[in-house]
Amino acid sequence: MGVTIHAKSDSEVTSIDASSPPRSPRRALYYVQSPSHSQQHDVEKMSYGSSPFGSPAHHYHCSPIHHSRESSTSRFSASLKNPIRNHQLAVWKRIPRTNDDDPDEDNDDDDDGKSNVMRFYMLCFLLSFIVLFTIFSLILWAASLPYKPKIFVKSMVFENLNVQAGIDGTGVQTDMLTLNSTVRIYYRNPATFFGVHVTATPLELHYYMLKVASGQMKKFYEPRKSKRIVVAVLQGHQIPLYGAIPLLSDAKDRIQSVSVPLNLTFVMRSRAYILGRLVKPKFYVHISCQVTLRGNHLGKHINLTTSGSCK
C-alpha cells in the first residue's frame, strides 16, 4: 500500500487562510496515529527497491517518510507513556469555556446581598423592639390595676326647697319644684407612680323615675398618693311634677314637715397616662346613694359615710 504525501506551498496556505472564515479561539486537540506494521513493511520494501543507492539503511535514514513516521511514532508513544497528561487534556476538552463575569455585576450582587442582610437585621430588631415594648407596657398596665381610686360621697346638703303652682312649656297647669343642693365627694389616688385625670357623668337626683335636680362636676387632675374633697352643685329649677310627688303637693304650704326619698347617681371616671399616652389604665366607679330630703333639715349637712346609704 503506497502512501502519498502532498506538500502545499505558502501561497496555497495563504489563500486558504484568507478565504476561510475566522475561527473561534478554541484549539482543537488532534491525535496522530502511526501506521500499522504491515503498512510500515510495505513502505520499507518500496523504499528499498526504488533506492538508487542500493542501501536500505541509507534510504531509511534519508527518506522523509522515515522522519514523519518517527516523529509521529515518538509523539504517540510519549502520549502513551504520560497518561496523566492525557487525562488533563481530556478534562480540558470536556470543560466548556465561558466568558469571565463582569466585575461590576459581581459588585452589584455583593451590594444586593449586603442590603438584604441589613434589611433582615433591621426587621428582626424592629420586631424584637415591638415585642419587648408590648410586654413592658402590659407589665405596667397590670401593675396599675391594684391602684384603683378610693371614692365615696361624704355628705350632702339641701339648701332650699320651693314648690308652687305654675304652667309648663305646653301650657298645662301643674306644681313646679325648685331645688338647690350641694354634694361633697371624697377622692383619693393611692397610686405610687402615676397621676390620674378625673371626670364624671352628670350627677342626678331622682324621685323614682322623675329627675328633680342635676349637676356637673368639674374635671381635675389628681397627683400620685394624694387626696381631695370635690364639691358639686345640683339644681332643679321649675321642674313640673304632674302630681308625681303628692307629699310635696299636699304640703307645699308647710315644707318643714315633708320627707321625700331621693336617689343620687353618677359615675366617676379616672384615667392615667403612663409612658406618654401609650399605657392608659382606666378606672370607673359607679356610685348610688339613697338620701332623704327633709324639710326641717334644710341647710344642714347629711352625713352619708356613716349611714352606709351609698354603694
Side-chain angles (χ1 to χ4, degrees), residues 20-311:
S20 60
R23 298 180 180 177
S24 63
R26 296 182 180 178
R27 293 183 179 180
L29 182 63
Y30 296 95
Y31 294 93
V32 181
Q33 183 177 3
S34 62
S36 62
H37 293 286
S38 60
Q39 292 177 352
Q40 292 178 8
H41 184 65
D42 294 337
V43 171
E44 288 176 358
K45 290 198 311 182
M46 182 181 65
S47 301
Y48 177 76
S50 61
S51 177
F53 299 96
S55 173
H58 177 76
H59 178 78
Y60 178 78
H61 290 289
C62 296
S63 175
I65 298 175
H66 164 69
H67 292 287
S68 175
R69 182 179 61 83
E70 184 178 2
S71 60
S72 62
T73 304
S74 61
R75 286 195 299 269
F76 183 72
S77 60
S79 63
L80 292 177
K81 291 178 181 179
N82 194 358
I84 298 176
R85 183 173 179 272
N86 293 335
H87 177 69
Q88 292 176 351
L89 291 173
V91 172
W92 176 84
K93 185 177 180 181
R94 287 196 299 269
I95 297 175
R97 288 190 176 184
T98 57
N99 295 329
D100 295 337
D101 294 336
D102 191 357
D104 294 337
E105 294 181 357
D106 294 339
N107 294 332
D108 294 339
D109 294 339
D110 294 340
D111 294 339
D112 292 340
K114 291 180 181 179
S115 61
N116 292 334
V117 172
M118 289 300 296
R119 282 195 293 267
F120 174 75
Y121 283 124
M122 289 296 293
L123 181 61
C124 292
F125 174 77
L126 182 61
L127 292 177
S128 302
F129 177 78
I130 293 174
V131 171
L132 292 176
F133 186 79
T134 303
I135 294 174
F136 182 68
S137 301
L138 289 175
I139 292 173
L140 290 178
W141 177 78
S144 65
L145 292 181
Y147 297 102
K148 187 176 181 179
K150 308 297 181 182
I151 305 171
F152 58 87
V153 179
K154 191 172 183 179
S155 65
M156 184 173 182
V157 55
F158 294 98
E159 297 171 351
N160 60 61
L161 174 66
N162 185 18
V163 179
Q164 62 184 8
I167 300 174
D168 64 0
T170 61
V172 177
Q173 294 185 353
T174 183
D175 293 333
M176 311 296 287
L177 173 66
T178 299
L179 175 66
N180 290 329
S181 63
T182 303
V183 178
R184 301 174 74 242
I185 305 169
Y186 174 84
Y187 187 95
R188 178 175 178 266
N189 177 22
T192 58
F193 61 95
F194 60 87
V196 291
H197 298 264
V198 184
T199 59
T201 60
L203 287 74
E204 296 179 349
L205 271 175
H206 289 84
Y207 177 80
Y208 295 101
M209 300 299 295
L210 177 63
K211 182 172 69 173
V212 296
S214 64
Q216 185 68 48
M217 186 191 74
K218 294 182 179 180
K219 61 182 179 180
F220 62 92
Y221 173 78
E222 190 65 27
R224 60 187 182 90
K225 300 183 68 175
S226 62
K227 60 184 179 179
R228 71 169 62 193
I229 300 297
V230 184
V231 179
V233 177
L234 285 73
Q235 293 180 340
H237 180 69
Q238 296 294 313
I239 305 298
L241 298 178
Y242 301 112
I245 308 177
L247 295 177
L248 292 178
S249 299
D250 297 339
K252 59 183 178 181
D253 294 333
R254 40 188 180 85
I255 297 297
Q256 298 294 329
S257 62
V258 300
S259 178
V260 180
L262 300 175
N263 185 25
L264 173 66
T265 58
F266 64 97
V267 177
M268 294 282 285
R269 297 175 294 193
S270 304
R271 176 178 296 179
Y273 296 104
I274 306 174
L275 293 178
R277 291 181 176 268
L278 297 177
V279 181
K280 297 183 292 186
K282 301 176 183 178
F283 306 95
Y284 294 91
V285 179
H286 297 262
I287 296 177
S288 177
C289 297
Q290 300 293 331
V291 59
T292 302
L293 170 61
R294 292 183 174 89
N296 58 355
H297 282 81
L298 293 178
K300 298 180 180 180
H301 289 276
I302 303 172
N303 192 345
L304 300 178
T305 57
T306 57
S307 61
S309 58
C310 294
K311 58 180 180 179

